[in-house]
Amino acid sequence: MDTIKRIIAIIDPTKDDQHGLARSIDLAKKSGASITAFMTVYDFSYEMTTMLSGDEREAMRKAVIKDRELWLNDLVSPYQDLDIETQVVWHNRPYEAIINTVIEQQYDLVIKSTHQHGALKSVIFTPTDWHLVRKCPTPVLFVKEMAWPAHGNILAAVNAVSENEQHMALNKRIIKDAQFLCELASAKLNLVNAYPATPINIAIEIPEFNPGLYNESVKKHHIDSTNELAAEFNLRQEQCFIEEGLPEDVIPDVAKRLNSELVVIGTVGRTGLSAALVGNTAEHVIDSLDCDVLALKPDGYVSPMAKKRD
């Protein structure tokens, strides 16, 4: 993502404050992108109208859509100096409507606000959010209330020691996209790489095993690999945070210490049984973050929604 030309901002009709739209407007002003304020609507009472004629049901559907269109047009009316349009789609599964629209109209970036737990100030991801993380081919930016301060911090989460070609390419994609957003937001980029602790069972089962030596070797490998990756993008060693622990613990901890406004993370988009059995580290990380998140797919990723369409 070395440019943003088309943004789709997901509107939540249940909220007074549209933080996703606000972030879209801010990025559009800096990048020159156009914005589509997008909303799905569905009235479940429509399912109970089978006694009505087909024309009456269609009239009811159109009336609901028209009402939402008027509300949405009023919402964006203060921003006519921008290239902004509105779109309302009738669909009972918002994520399907969003992803289908992204694929059909080839948006560069999806921006959606997240819900927050009022008392704890923590971010709560909805089922629609998780579907977008897993299945949307376009980068998805999840935003919370906090504005991005000038000269803030953006954190790129990488796995620098991976020998998987797709993961290696994704590392570089994460850093490039993070650098681009740093330029737009006048922010500083940092990298974070978590590495595993010594497996306790190995130390117990193999008496001659030296856990201290093993741990130092693993640590050095991660430090060297992360610094080497950083150097490719002209990043200094002090911009790299290589720490022991699980990614879902290390990445949120570093993000909090740096007061990062955004974490950029790659997701492989596992769904179904493989996701249940293998788990998805990125999802555990995302669920633990309390700041904006940009979720990226690997280059060449094909959404299961696109496969269905074919």
Side-chain angles (χ1 to χ4, degrees):
M1 186 169 62
D2 54 3
T3 183
I4 304 174
K5 294 181 179 178
R6 306 192 71 216
I7 296 172
I8 181 168
I10 311 306
I11 305 299
D12 184 348
T14 67
K15 297 291 181 180
D16 293 329
D17 297 317
Q18 299 293 331
H19 303 297
L21 180 61
R23 186 77 80 246
S24 301
I25 289 166
D26 185 44
L27 288 176
K29 287 178 178 177
K30 294 173 179 176
S31 66
S34 65
I35 300 172
T36 298
F38 183 89
M39 182 194 301
T40 56
V41 60
Y42 193 82
D43 189 335
F44 283 95
S45 62
Y46 182 78
E47 305 284 357
M48 310 300 292
T49 59
T50 52
M51 294 179 65
L52 299 177
S53 69
D55 288 344
E56 287 172 323
R57 283 164 58 84
E58 182 62 13
M60 174 187 171
R61 188 182 70 85
K62 286 183 176 179
V64 173
I65 292 174
K66 185 64 176 177
D67 177 69
R68 294 289 83 189
E69 286 176 341
L70 291 172
W71 179 83
L72 192 51
N73 286 331
D74 186 56
L75 181 69
V76 304
S77 60
Y79 311 107
Q80 293 308 312
D81 55 323
L82 295 174
D83 183 359
I84 185 167
E85 60 180 32
T86 61
Q87 186 175 354
V88 178
V89 171
W90 180 271
H91 206 297
N92 64 347
R93 292 189 182 92
Y95 77 90
E96 288 190 6
I98 294 166
I99 294 173
N100 284 336
T101 302
V102 165
I103 293 170
E104 287 172 3
Q105 302 181 28
Q106 298 184 328
Y107 285 94
D108 301 307
L109 179 64
V110 178
I111 300 183
K112 185 181 182 301
S113 62
T114 54
H115 291 255
Q116 284 185 259
H117 188 290
L120 302 176
K121 295 293 183 184
S122 59
V123 175
I124 299 172
F125 285 84
T126 66
T128 295
D129 296 338
W130 289 123
H131 279 296
L132 293 177
V133 168
R134 294 163 187 159
K135 302 171 186 175
C136 186
T138 297
V140 183
L141 176 60
F142 295 101
V143 305
K144 54 178 289 188
E145 293 178 16
M146 184 181 69
W148 290 358
H151 312 298
N153 287 300
I154 289 177
L155 186 64
V158 297
N159 177 13
V161 301
S162 176
E163 296 180 355
N164 179 291
E165 288 188 10
Q166 187 184 52
H167 287 179
M168 291 166 65
L170 184 56
N171 280 333
K172 295 181 180 181
R173 166 87 184 280
I174 289 167
I175 298 173
K176 286 179 182 177
D177 284 14
Q179 283 184 323
F180 173 68
L181 290 172
C182 281
E183 291 174 12
L184 289 183
S186 301
K188 177 186 176 183
L189 177 60
N190 299 282
L191 303 187
V192 58
N193 186 108
Y195 66 91
T198 304
I200 296 175
N201 60 322
I202 295 180
I204 294 173
E205 293 172 7
I206 308 175
E208 62 272 21
F209 178 77
N210 186 327
L213 191 62
Y214 173 84
N215 203 48
E216 282 303 312
S217 176
V218 170
K219 180 179 178 180
K220 184 178 185 305
H221 181 43
H222 278 263
I223 290 174
D224 291 345
S225 299
T226 305
N227 288 338
E228 184 179 338
L229 178 63
E232 291 184 42
F233 295 89
N234 299 313
L235 300 173
R236 302 183 306 277
Q237 291 186 13
E238 54 266 32
Q239 291 173 266
C240 301
F241 293 80
I242 304 101
E243 301 189 4
E244 179 184 309
L246 296 172
E248 55 264 41
D249 296 326
V250 170
I251 296 170
D253 181 62
V254 172
K256 188 173 183 178
R257 289 193 335 247
L258 295 176
N259 196 26
S260 301
E261 63 241 45
L262 171 69
V263 171
V264 183
I265 190 167
T267 65
V268 294
R270 289 194 185 98
T271 58
L273 186 61
S274 65
L277 294 177
V278 178
N280 192 325
T281 300
E283 291 188 15
H284 293 304
V285 173
I286 290 169
D287 203 30
S288 302
L289 289 168
D290 195 22
C291 62
D292 288 8
V293 179
L294 179 66
L296 305 175
K297 297 292 190 309
D299 290 335
Y301 170 81
V302 178
S303 169
M305 300 286 297
K307 294 175 184 177
K308 284 183 182 179
R309 295 160 61 84
D310 294 340

